[in-house]
Amino acid sequence: MSATTIVSLPDQATARLPKTNYLNNKHGLLSWLLTADHKRIGILYLLSITFFFFIGGAFAGLIRLELLTPQPDLVASDTYNKFFTMHGIVMIFLFLVPSVPAALGNFLVPIMIGAKDLAFPKINLLSWYLYMTAGLFTLATLVLGGVDTGWTFTTPLSTHYLNTHVMTTAIGIFIAGFSSIFTGLNFIVTIHRMRAPGMTWFRMPLFIWSNYAASLLMVLGTPVLAIAIVLVALERTLNIGVFDPAKGGDPLLFQHLFWFYSHPAVYIMILPGMGVISEVMSTFSRKRVFGYTAVAFSSVAIALFGFFVWAHHMFIMGVSNYSALVFSLLTMLVAVPSAIKIFNWAFTMQKGSITFETPMLYAFGFIGLFTIGGLTGVFLGSLGMDVHLTETYFVVAHFHFVMVGGMLMAFLAGVHFWWPKITGRMYPESLSKLAAVVTFVGFNLTFLPQFVLGYLGMPRRYAAYPAEFQVLNVMSTAGATVLGVGYMLPLIYLGWSLKYGAIAGNNPWQATGLEWQIQSPPLTENFLETPIVTQEAYDYEWLEEKMKHEVTHVG
Amino acid sequence: MGISPVLWHFLVKWLHSSALFPAEASTIAPYTDALYFFLIGMTIVGTLLVGVLVVFFSIRYRKEKNPVATQVEGSTLLEATWTIIPLAIFLVTFVWGALLYFRIFNPPANAMNIYVVGKQWMWKAEHPGGQHEINALHIPAGKPVQLTMISQDVFHSFSIPDFRVKREVIPGRYSTVWFQATTPGTYHIFCTQYCGTLHAGMIGEVTVLEPKDYEKWLQESTSGMSLAQNGERLFASMGCNACHTGNAAARGPNLAGVYGTKLTLANGSQVLVNEAYLRDAILNPSEHITAGYAPIMPTYQGQISEDGLIDLVEYIKNMQSNDRVHQTLMTSEGDQAAPKTPVAGTTQER
Ligand code: HEM
Ligand SMILES: [Cu+2]
């Protein structure tokens, strides 16, 4: 461990974990399965989300392996279609949507606002059970033989032309939706009602703001998804005809309903990640986030305006030329707050005192990849350009840059950043830095070639492709192998650190958040007495005062 | 573009030969590519700017160099700058993209029409002269071609990357796309909307021919019956001619010359009679009662394939007088109905 980085790391020989904490105050499987402690529920989520991530990842590997050659020679077309459907469904509904809010958010939201728990602890547990039930349905689909709708469930394909397990999957997604609605509700109520005295809205950490914005989206958007899914189910079973032109229905209606949820959903996925980046950039620059208010408001702005751009997924589907104009313009407008945030993060470093721990490296990765992902989104928002690029690998590359490059980097930044708080132990520093670099390199190798493939015209969801696209596909598959290694590494060393990692101490990064002012791992009650907040988030001068005080106190 | 035409020419030439870039084979392609280069420029400049900032600050303000951070609130001026500049760039992109979109989707009036039916898992093209082709499309170079497309089952999407055009093919409604090919050769047609098991196999080839070669191809591939002639047979065999006789006493409205006119419906509304209207009026007659007629027409939903509908539409489009209706009426009443066009599902290709 380099001397410049961890200042208050206690000597390994003498340091011990706190005698009682949320992990050891109760024992046995049941104490976990029936817990109402938001931190334990956060851990349950963390474990299950990781499990599903690797399932989704295995399918990504299979997809890329199949695309190594132009012929469908690894698996037949229908199997390939099941692969990318599983990959998409697992990654979106079981990983991206719950990742930061349900795992890290559950653990951190109450602590960061000085509360003892979420507003509805039992509903919180229920939402984990719903999530697991959704996961079971998805796994059941797999065991029963799979489903090949693609994660977008396009009608009438999904309703009248497929005999695979569409209903099982649909039920799974429906249930997952309720899990996310409950999480959202819980966060909104908690943030409104349970802030510690002195924790005003503008003293809240930006992680709270971004989770708040994402929660609004979950609560307002997810019901529309639920409706769309119910209609698909009714259409399949009772043939009601809402989407069937032969019965006077309209297949485009499904597209509207689906994207009305699924576009805001990408913000559900990315906003909490942005919150993580704000915390990390501030902590390792030892500076207040540049333009705190702008960043806070831009989260809410993104969330609200995110509801008005869904039809940019339908520019070639026969929306009228004039509504296409409006949706394109609105899309350009929502891109602006994201651009603002990038520069705010960069300028947070200005005049800072910067160190380069692993979370910071992941945050740099996030900024780089999210910038490219965001700017390539402008290509797709631009009407005439979208005509050529939509439904090709350009889109695949774009959303992987935003959601995998952006969101996953943010998730890993967050996991590393709060790992010492969650477990009380440090992870091995040099290995974790290596993993961050390998991930970044692997990521670019995998997805940069796909932009070129897309402009050349290679359609997405193809098990086989014309031979001239092979070279770029081979590059992409090679990159995916490196990326896969990058994702495996943390699994290994974080597991190792649970037992052998150095004891972290309460505030290894000398960060300002309330979560760092309590013991690691925290007590079940989080705070012995309700904290009174007198300072802004990211007030490093206050922190230094406080630490001086504690040192003299102890001495 | 601000870049000299000669330089531009070389750049494009070089990119094409580098296999990182699709052929520019339609009149739209250069416009799309120009916007693409602008956007790539924007992306590279934007990413470099962010990258340089992060690296510069990392070096200049690393802890060894700057042990104590100076707290700054923010800066309205800076924030306004990085709000307004991206906004301006994005607005330029918006306008440019919108102009291109209108160029792509507004066909010139003189475009020739070809029908395309998408089905799991093939493209079937139908030329007005009755030439059918599967997963292939022959077109003349230098002439605007409009495709009127419909899907017989699920969503498909018709894409020719080398022309930079693409349009969703939707069940239950016609969509159109047009292009003018510039260079003879063969280019991929892809289905880009996921449509089930053999989605990846729904690939075709568009062959661009010199106009005279195209004429030759039309002659050689003719089946002897044009779409309109097929439609005429169908018109008789489905009994349409029994009501749409064009006589004063007819139970159905006169169809001769109706295409392209404004029609007043029983509910008082006015509609433009185009392909979509004609198709819809055959399938859902009760929703399109022409003023002055009783709602007695039966629906033909499920009885005519999309190919058959195209034939009927093409027939009605070209119907200038009722003479031939009367002729076919005689034949069908004489119990010698023309053979029925096979219905959807049964293999009837070519
Ligand atoms: C090694 C990492 C990954 C690789 C190599 C990879 C590869 C791919 C490929 C090639 C496709 C396109 C399939 C097609 O359209 O034919 C795809 C689709 C997709 N990927 Fe990934 N992926 C990876 C990781 C992820 C992650 C981490 C997520 C989310 C967190 C994700 C989310 C998605 C989604 C939502 C789709 C769309 C599925 C659909 O078209 O229905 N991917 N991925
Ligand atoms: Cu298709």
Side-chain angles (χ1 to χ4, degrees):
Chain A
M1 214 124 337
S2 79
T4 54
T5 51
I6 288 136
V7 184
S8 66
L9 193 65
D11 183 354
Q12 169 92 79
T14 57
R16 317 183 84 198
L17 289 176
K19 256 207 208 79
T20 53
N21 59 52
Y22 79 102
L23 289 167
N24 66 10
N25 70 339
K26 282 202 193 109
H27 293 279
L29 194 59
L30 269 188
S31 77
W32 281 88
L33 293 180
L34 298 177
T35 182
D37 179 356
H38 65 100
K39 297 182 289 305
R40 283 190 164 205
I41 296 173
I43 301 285
L44 290 177
Y45 264 116
L46 192 61
L47 292 174
S48 30
I49 280 166
T50 307
F51 171 74
F52 283 110
F53 175 74
F54 280 93
I55 293 203
F59 281 104
L62 289 170
I63 294 175
R64 282 285 15 138
L65 212 57
E66 161 56 37
L67 295 179
L68 206 52
T69 59
Q71 302 81 27
D73 38 16
L74 178 71
V75 293
S77 274
D78 59 337
T79 312
Y80 179 85
N81 298 345
K82 289 174 182 171
F83 284 175
F84 74 70
T85 302
M86 257 314 140
H87 172 65
I89 288 178
V90 169
M91 285 303 195
I92 297 270
F93 296 107
L94 299 177
F95 176 73
L96 283 174
V97 169
S99 58
V100 171
L104 297 175
N106 251 323
F107 194 99
L108 293 161
V109 165
I111 308 184
M112 286 171 95
I113 61 171
K116 293 205 161 138
D117 206 324
L118 283 168
F120 309 111
K122 288 195 178 126
I123 291 183
N124 195 21
L125 183 64
L126 175 64
S127 76
W128 181 72
Y129 275 102
L130 289 175
Y131 168 82
M132 288 310 280
T133 314
L136 272 180
F137 271 96
T138 309
L139 292 181
T141 313
L142 243 181
V143 176
L144 292 172
V147 63
D148 53 351
T149 51
W151 77 275
T152 46
F153 279 88
T154 316
T155 56
L157 182 67
S158 64
T159 49
H160 288 93
Y161 290 86
L162 294 177
N163 295 320
T164 48
H165 299 275
V166 179
M167 289 305 287
T168 331
T169 331
I171 295 171
I173 291 174
F174 185 79
I175 298 174
F178 277 93
S179 163
S180 109
I181 293 175
F182 285 156
T183 304
L185 267 177
N186 225 334
F187 281 8
I188 292 175
V189 176
T190 307
I191 294 169
H192 271 275
R193 304 300 305 265
M194 299 178 61
R195 281 170 286 131
M199 175 63 81
T200 61
W201 284 88
F202 292 101
R203 284 181 186 165
M204 287 194 323
L206 289 165
F207 182 74
I208 302 293
W209 272 101
S210 60
N211 273 286
Y212 180 74
S215 302
L216 288 178
L217 288 172
M218 290 187 209
V219 173
L220 297 175
T222 319
V224 183
L225 176 72
I227 293 167
I229 299 267
V230 168
L231 288 176
V232 165
L234 290 179
E235 184 103 0
R236 258 186 95 81
T237 49
L238 306 176
N239 233 328
I240 54 169
V242 268
F243 303 134
D244 184 356
K247 293 209 170 70
D250 184 357
L252 284 178
L253 175 63
F254 175 81
Q255 297 292 329
H256 282 289
L257 288 174
F258 184 82
W259 288 113
F260 188 82
Y261 163 77
S262 293
H263 192 80
V266 307
Y267 299 114
I268 297 179
M269 299 171 211
I270 198 70
L271 276 168
M274 294 174 152
V276 173
I277 300 306
S278 297
E279 300 300 317
V280 170
M281 292 301 289
S282 160
T283 300
F284 297 105
S285 306
R286 312 211 58 68
K287 263 192 68 216
R288 182 181 193 274
V289 173
F290 192 93
Y292 167 98
T293 333
V295 177
F297 278 130
S298 67
S299 292
V300 182
I302 289 179
L304 296 181
F305 288 111
F307 273 113
F308 299 100
V309 300
W310 77 89
H312 69 204
H313 296 270
M314 303 166 65
F315 285 157
I316 62 161
M317 266 190 201
V319 292
S320 80
N321 284 2
Y322 295 95
S323 74
L325 274 185
V326 173
F327 280 104
S328 169
L329 181 62
L330 289 171
T331 303
M332 296 298 172
L333 296 184
V334 254
V336 175
S338 305
I340 297 179
K341 286 194 182 206
I342 301 259
F343 286 107
N344 275 302
W345 288 320
F347 270 79
T348 299
M349 298 167 71
Q350 185 208 15
K351 305 208 175 136
S353 176
I354 305 165
T355 52
F356 302 94
E357 284 85 352
T358 312
M360 190 67 160
L361 296 189
Y362 277 111
F364 286 169
F366 172 95
I367 291 179
L369 301 180
F370 185 74
T371 304
I372 297 178
L375 287 171
T376 51
V378 175
F379 287 56
L380 298 168
S382 169
L383 289 167
M385 200 70 244
D386 181 67
V387 173
H388 179 54
L389 294 177
T390 186
E391 300 171 352
T392 69
Y393 261 80
F394 193 94
V395 175
V396 175
H398 155 70
F399 74 69
H400 280 86
F401 261 84
V402 176
M403 298 198 308
V404 185
M407 184 56 206
L408 201 64
M409 285 280 177
F411 180 70
L412 288 171
V415 167
H416 285 86
F417 185 56
W418 283 296
W419 191 255
K421 181 54 61 182
I422 295 172
T423 64
R425 292 187 184 266
M426 296 304 299
Y427 47 80
E429 188 70 15
S430 40
L431 209 54
S432 61
K433 281 184 171 156
L434 178 72
V437 173
V438 172
T439 310
F440 185 81
V441 172
F443 183 88
N444 283 296
L445 284 176
T446 311
F447 293 106
L448 282 177
Q450 295 184 7
F451 283 121
V452 182
L453 274 174
Y455 201 75
L456 283 170
M458 175 160 162
R460 66 191 284 202
R461 301 176 168 179
Y462 263 30
Y465 52 85
E468 69 257 30
F469 297 147
Q470 187 174 11
V471 176
L472 289 160
N473 271 298
V474 170
M475 285 167 67
S476 182
T477 301
T481 317
V482 179
L483 184 55
V485 172
Y487 288 148
M488 290 305 289
L489 281 173
L491 193 69
I492 297 167
Y493 65 71
L494 288 179
W496 175 90
S497 82
L498 284 178
K499 191 144 186 184
Y500 306 102
I503 305 293
N506 295 348
N507 193 357
W509 316 125
Q510 298 190 339
T512 55
L514 282 184
E515 78 272 29
W516 299 109
Q517 318 309 324
I518 58 176
Q519 69 169 43
S520 319
L523 288 166
T524 303
E525 306 74 35
N526 299 346
F527 303 93
L528 283 175
E529 46 195 275
T530 311
I532 295 173
V533 182
T534 52
Q535 77 289 352
E536 287 191 340
Y538 320 118
D539 187 341
Y540 290 94
E541 281 146 8
W542 163 82
L543 183 72
E544 261 144 45
E545 273 308 300
K546 178 173 176 272
M547 294 210 308
K548 248 187 248 156
H549 207 72
E550 268 165 18
V551 172
T552 44
H553 198 76
V554 171
Chain B
M1 264 162 273
I3 170 172
S4 98
V6 181
L7 225 106
W8 175 254
H9 193 76
F10 273 106
L11 184 67
V12 169
K13 263 257 155 61
W14 176 77
L15 277 167
H16 285 161
S17 58
S18 72
L20 293 177
F21 204 74
E24 271 185 343
S26 77
T27 50
I28 292 291
Y31 293 100
T32 304
D33 291 349
L35 176 53
Y36 183 59
F37 286 125
F38 167 75
L39 288 166
I40 288 192
M42 171 199 78
T43 306
I44 291 177
V45 171
T47 310
L48 278 182
L49 183 66
V50 173
V52 166
L53 275 177
V54 168
V55 171
F56 172 76
F57 288 150
S58 295
I59 295 171
R60 173 71 186 72
Y61 298 112
R62 63 186 192 279
K63 187 169 186 152
E64 295 91 82
K65 198 83 189 284
N66 195 32
V68 179
T70 318
Q71 297 300 323
V72 210
E73 275 289 301
S75 151
T76 318
L77 184 70
L78 270 175
E79 288 186 70
T81 316
W82 65 61
T83 309
I84 290 166
I85 293 177
L87 182 66
I89 295 175
F90 295 167
L91 287 181
V92 169
T93 313
F94 161 70
V95 173
W96 193 338
L99 291 175
L100 180 60
Y101 187 74
F102 279 79
R103 195 188 281 272
I104 293 175
F105 286 133
N106 284 348
N110 63 342
M112 60 180 264
N113 189 61
I114 299 174
Y115 290 92
V116 171
V117 179
K119 39 184 127 175
Q120 287 177 324
W121 287 277
M122 65 170 90
W123 296 112
K124 182 169 178 189
E126 313 201 10
H127 299 253
Q131 296 83 353
H132 293 290
E133 30 183 351
I134 306 275
N135 287 343
L137 178 65
H138 286 76
I139 54 161
K143 287 211 175 126
V145 176
Q146 167 163 332
L147 304 182
T148 301
M149 309 184 290
I150 193 157
S151 161
Q152 193 163 296
D153 36 49
V154 302
F155 280 91
H156 299 278
S157 187
F158 187 92
S159 158
I160 306 176
D162 292 332
F163 292 2
R164 313 286 188 276
V165 296
K166 181 184 291 128
R167 185 90 182 200
E168 204 84 16
V169 179
I170 301 171
R173 68 167 81 171
Y174 288 122
S175 58
T176 61
V177 68
W178 80 277
F179 43 77
Q180 178 171 333
T182 50
T183 329
T186 58
Y187 310 95
H188 292 297
I189 300 171
F190 292 125
C191 172
T192 52
Q193 174 65 272
Y194 174 61
C195 59
T197 308
L198 292 185
H199 169 54
M202 203 164 151
I203 298 186
E205 217 161 56
V206 52
T207 308
V208 179
L209 300 170
E210 293 293 357
K212 61 176 192 309
D213 295 333
Y214 178 68
E215 285 309 319
K216 214 163 98 203
W217 178 84
L218 281 180
Q219 297 306 325
E220 283 166 3
S221 338
T222 178
S223 59
M225 292 279 263
S226 71
L227 296 185
Q229 284 168 325
N230 281 330
E232 181 173 8
R233 277 196 309 177
L234 206 52
F235 196 75
S237 66
M238 306 288 294
C240 315
N241 56 6
C243 293
H244 298 281
T245 59
N247 296 338
R251 283 176 292 167
N254 184 0
L255 299 181
V258 73
Y259 179 79
T261 60
K262 279 250 164 81
L263 198 63
T264 309
L265 299 187
N267 63 12
S269 62
Q270 286 238 322
V271 289
L272 174 70
V273 180
N274 55 15
E275 285 91 345
Y277 174 80
L278 289 174
R279 179 182 176 280
D280 223 32
I282 298 167
L283 294 178
N284 304 307
S286 57
E287 283 165 32
H288 306 84
I289 314 291
T290 311
Y293 289 88
I296 52 166
M297 175 164 160
T299 169
Y300 288 88
Q301 190 76 256
Q303 303 182 41
I304 314 179
S305 68
E306 290 299 346
D307 305 28
L309 284 163
I310 286 172
D311 294 340
L312 279 172
V313 166
E314 192 64 14
Y315 172 55
I316 299 171
K317 260 174 83 171
N318 292 302
M319 197 195 275
Q320 297 309 332
S321 78
N322 285 301
D323 300 350
R324 302 215 16 112
V325 177
H326 294 147
Q327 263 176 29
T328 52
L329 192 57
M330 310 278 279
T331 4
S332 60
E333 278 168 356
D335 200 30
Q336 293 177 15
K340 235 182 173 169
T341 306
V343 180
T346 60
T347 38
Q348 63 184 77
E349 298 7 296
R350 287 258 198 156

